[in-house]
Amino acid sequence: MTQCSTCSVPVHTQFASPDLIEQIVYGGLDPAADPAWESSGAATPEEYGRWCGHLCGMTCLRMALGPASPTLFSLRDGALKYGAYTQDAEGVIRGLIYAPLASYAQEVHALPTTVHRELSPQDILALLDEGRTVMASVHYEIRNPDRPAPGRGGHLVLLTGRTEDRVHFHNPSGTTAETRAADLPLAGFARFFAGRGVSFGPRTHPGTAAGTGADTAAETGAGPGA
């Protein structure tokens, strides 16, 4: 785990070896070949390789929970029990589904969670000013912000702070240290942003969950392996 020098929130990645992310997402490296796979909490390299590309949301949750958070696959197991991920008859993984995620985060981890079916860039700033973190749906190519945005949504990042006109966020599939804990002008972030997300408040004692909202929005992953 790396502690962010900007916001003090842990920096985690959905892939066990951060230095292999670029090879996985752009170079075709099988994530099951990651020598650090076991640190994720997965049972086998095959399970790790099959799931890690879908776990950007669980990585955001792990960061929001702080330094003492469970392993990535322990969070995945809990989310599965709540229906935040599903698998069809062919084994296709679907999710992350926001409403059951919110129930899981609150009931199991005492993390106040609100689903935002519609969320503007200015709404994000307001939530950050309230001391919340925001898991936002963006296009995975936000890790290359100098290029045109090829779309919006499908991947999740965790916003943790802001200045007057810039936002700070942690990207579970960032290919460099600078894109894993990144800063962008709000307008630059908005080019990749899908206008939906989930916000987290400070942790409470178990049993004091806040409202989940009433949304079934979902994210399916983060592009080629990320």
Side-chain angles (χ1 to χ4, degrees), residues 141-148 179 184 188 191-192:
E141 281 298 329
I142 198 168
R143 59 190 168 222
N144 292 302
D146 295 332
R147 302 176 188 173
T179 58
L184 279 181
R191 293 190 296 115
F192 299 86

Side-chain angles (χ1 to χ4, degrees), residues 121-140:
Q122 291 300 320
D123 291 335
I124 289 176
L125 297 185
L127 289 166
L128 293 172
D129 289 345
E130 292 172 11
R132 300 179 73 87
T133 56
V134 180
M135 185 173 72
S137 174
V138 300
H139 193 279
Y140 62 85

Side-chain angles (χ1 to χ4, degrees), residues 12 26 58-59 64 77 82 90 107 120 129 137 143 154 183 188:
H12 290 298
Y26 294 126
M58 287 299 95
T59 307
D77 290 345
Y82 272 74
E90 286 72 44
E107 294 173 15
S120 72
D129 289 345
S137 174
R143 59 190 168 222
D183 290 274

Side-chain angles (χ1 to χ4, degrees), residues 20-31 143 175 224-225:
L20 294 180
I21 293 175
E22 184 162 13
Q23 295 178 56
I24 292 169
V25 300
Y26 294 126
L29 178 67
D30 183 353
R143 59 190 168 222
T175 53

Side-chain angles (χ1 to χ4, degrees), residues 82 98-109 113 115 209 212:
Y82 272 74
Y98 290 172
L101 163 72
S103 296
Y104 169 57
Q106 294 179 148
E107 294 173 15
V108 176
H109 298 289
T113 305
V115 173
T212 63

